[in-house]
Amino acid sequence: MASSNPIDPVKLDKLAEVAIKVGLQLQPGQDLILTAPMSALPLVRRIAEHAYKAGAGLVQPIFSDEEITLARYRNAPSESFDRAPAWLYEGMAKAFGNNAARLAISGDNPMMLAKEDPDKVARANRATSMAYRPALEKITGFDINWNIVSYPNPAWAKLVFPNDDEDTAVRKLADAIFAASRVDVDDPIGAWKQHNANLKARWTWLNGQQFSALHYTGPGTDLTIGLADEHRWKGGASEAKNGITCNPNIPTEEVFTTPHKDRVEGYVRSTKPLSHNGTLIADMEVRFEAGRIVSAKASKGEAVLSKVLDTDEGARRLGEVALVPHSSPISKSGVLFYNTLFDENAACHIALGQCYADCFVNGTKMSPDEIAARGGNKSLIHIDWMIGSGELDIDGIKADGSKVPVLRKGEWANSWSVVKKPIWTI
Ligand code: ZN
Ligand code: ZN
């Protein structure tokens, strides 16, 4: 290991700074719970330093490791796969109750579990989802400020750039992560301010339109997604219940809201493969009736997909609908990241499973029953998959049946410019 680290240390430090100052807006005295794969240790260290400089009380990292995960799949008794460390997640929920912030570093090998038994994978995921629920509810309910950023794991880099040697692949993936995360510019904090303002202009327009449904047409797609009653569009920066404005996802290009769990009709085809907990699901084609997926197929990972859909009743229904222009920087980079945090920001997407309370007017003050009454879906899972492309058209449908173009050939039909060009008159 004599070779120098292929990751630019200056940009890595900027990513850590953006995670703390933009992603979390970590406040003096706040504790931070940080989860990361072992391979992301260099970023964890940069983040811890910026967190303490920002006045963090305690930074507590929790690491996972690919070798240890695989050791379990290959050696553990069958009963192991119905278990999860509930005590850990209860502790996290307790810490969030005491206003700890949450940061996750994603960067696992997307194919880590590809060769493992899909039944074991599904059982382990289900056990984890159930045990994680008390903590996840505080995240989806925006009780506290939280953020996800990424670090280029070598196995991930080789999957994205298979024709390069490992160092080159890691450097290329790192640079792609830095560009998508807007830390490859002189003033990343200023760039995020501008980006948040642009996203706000889009969701403000969508909220003003009060659409009751969106109609999608494209190759293999003719889908009507009814929107939940009193839904609210969001994107970019978001104020958590603890009063702190955070940017939960870095990168982010989407504006999104809650579909109505019973009002989705028609069929849709995925436009990018989905990497789900170490397996790839490609070319999904599903049909909805009264909000429920009644048939589903995929060219790759169909067994995993059908297990996912059987997680619970809500796993067959939608919990999120998100709009991303085809010209988003991540889409333009042409890189398929095999990581939803990036790939969902390259294309319009929908998510199976749990909805976000924050995507309702006054949603964070509503009980789960009140959210369900407005059409919000409930599930142990939340899985985003990409349905956008340069061939997708979307119309907004209003309560009176009138239609408004929203996207044409993958681009916003409306253009907003936050910085208005001056109009010259003579
Ligand atoms: Zn999304
Ligand atoms: Zn999502």
Side-chain angles (χ1 to χ4, degrees):
M1 294 290 282
S3 73
S4 62
N5 192 320
I7 300 171
D8 182 329
V10 175
K11 286 177 188 159
L12 187 69
D13 190 66
K14 280 189 174 173
L15 181 61
E17 187 181 2
V18 161
I20 292 299
K21 291 186 180 165
V22 177
L24 289 177
Q25 295 227 23
L26 195 73
Q27 300 297 304
Q30 251 198 321
D31 288 351
L32 174 60
I33 299 176
L34 206 163
T35 55
M38 206 59 219
S39 55
L41 184 58
L43 179 58
V44 174
R45 288 176 171 156
R46 304 309 312 135
I47 285 173
E49 188 181 317
H50 282 286
Y52 283 123
K53 281 181 179 163
L58 276 178
V59 178
Q60 183 59 60
I62 301 169
F63 290 100
S64 58
D65 177 68
E66 181 169 348
E67 294 290 316
I68 296 173
T69 302
L70 291 175
R72 179 188 181 200
Y73 276 92
R74 288 161 193 180
N75 302 284
S78 176
E79 308 84 76
S80 169
F81 299 94
D82 297 315
R83 298 190 52 207
W87 56 270
L88 175 66
Y89 303 131
E90 282 159 17
M92 276 189 182
K94 200 172 160 188
F96 297 155
N98 291 323
N99 201 35
R102 168 89 165 94
L103 198 149
I105 298 176
S106 84
D108 279 324
N109 173 6
M111 299 299 279
M112 176 168 67
L113 300 177
K115 295 197 180 100
E116 307 309 315
D117 177 359
D119 184 55
K120 283 184 184 172
V121 175
R123 283 162 60 203
N125 286 341
R126 186 166 201 281
T128 301
S129 299
M130 286 171 69
Y132 189 53
R133 182 132 206 145
L136 182 66
E137 278 175 350
K138 294 202 185 320
I139 301 289
T140 56
F142 264 93
D143 282 30
I144 45 121
N145 43 334
W146 60 274
N147 170 245
I148 311 179
V149 289
S150 287
Y151 186 82
N153 160 308
W156 177 21
K158 282 291 286 177
L159 183 68
V160 178
F161 299 104
N163 301 324
D164 292 302
D165 64 71
E166 189 172 291
D167 271 9
T168 308
V170 167
R171 182 176 48 73
K172 281 187 176 175
L173 181 57
D175 288 344
I177 290 171
F178 295 144
S181 306
R182 292 184 157 78
V183 298
D184 63 341
V185 294
D186 289 339
D187 176 18
I189 313 256
W192 272 96
K193 255 187 200 147
Q194 181 63 49
H195 183 46
N196 278 325
N198 288 336
L199 291 170
K200 187 176 179 183
R202 287 174 191 162
W203 58 251
T204 303
W205 179 79
L206 285 160
N207 282 334
Q209 292 296 314
Q210 293 282 309
F211 293 129
S212 63
L214 298 177
H215 181 220
Y216 291 62
T217 47
T221 296
D222 185 347
L223 183 71
T224 301
I225 300 181
L227 300 179
D229 302 330
E230 297 174 51
H231 70 272
R232 178 172 79 142
W233 289 89
K234 294 186 49 176
S238 201
E239 188 182 334
K241 279 186 208 162
N242 64 1
I244 301 168
T245 298
C246 61
N247 258 95
N249 289 357
I250 290 180
T252 187
E253 302 290 335
E254 62 176 332
V255 291
F256 59 103
T257 194
T258 304
H260 195 292
K261 64 182 170 62
D262 302 324
R263 296 182 195 152
V264 185
E265 302 284 347
Y267 52 91
V268 59
R269 184 188 289 167
S270 69
T271 51
K272 284 175 187 287
L274 164 65
S275 169
H276 175 63
N277 291 331
T279 42
L280 269 193
I281 307 174
D283 307 314
M284 280 189 280
E285 291 185 73
V286 310
R287 196 160 59 78
F288 288 88
E289 279 176 15
R292 192 170 185 274
I293 292 179
V294 292
S295 75
K297 56 181 187 173
S299 69
K300 244 187 226 169
E302 191 171 298
V304 174
L305 174 63
S306 70
K307 293 227 186 279
V308 163
L309 295 177
D310 288 340
T311 308
D312 52 25
E313 173 57 27
R316 288 186 176 267
R317 295 174 187 272
L318 296 186
E320 179 195 332
V321 51
L323 305 178
V324 179
H326 186 60
S327 59
S328 94
I330 296 172
S331 174
K332 267 207 245 166
S333 77
V335 175
L336 180 64
F337 285 84
Y338 300 97
N339 178 322
T340 302
L341 181 61
F342 291 84
D343 293 328
E344 75 162 346
N345 283 303
C348 289
H349 57 271
I350 48 182
L352 302 172
Q354 181 67 38
C355 73
Y356 287 108
D358 210 21
C359 287
F360 288 92
V361 178
N362 293 322
T364 56
K365 296 187 183 94
M366 282 184 208
S367 68
D369 284 347
E370 288 171 312
I371 286 169
R374 287 162 177 77
N377 192 32
K378 186 178 173 175
S379 172
L380 291 170
I381 65 162
H382 176 100
I383 298 174
D384 298 279
W385 52 289
M386 283 57 81
I387 61 171
S389 71
E391 295 168 283
L392 181 68
D393 288 343
I394 302 178
D395 283 325
I397 302 171
K398 297 200 172 188
D400 65 4
S402 61
K403 288 184 180 179
V404 178
V406 175
L407 253 65
R408 285 292 177 267
K409 293 200 183 303
E411 299 302 329
W412 289 102
N414 251 304
S415 68
W416 296 268
S417 69
V418 176
V419 185
K420 284 225 159 55
K421 283 198 187 107
I423 299 166
W424 299 101
T425 50
I426 45 166

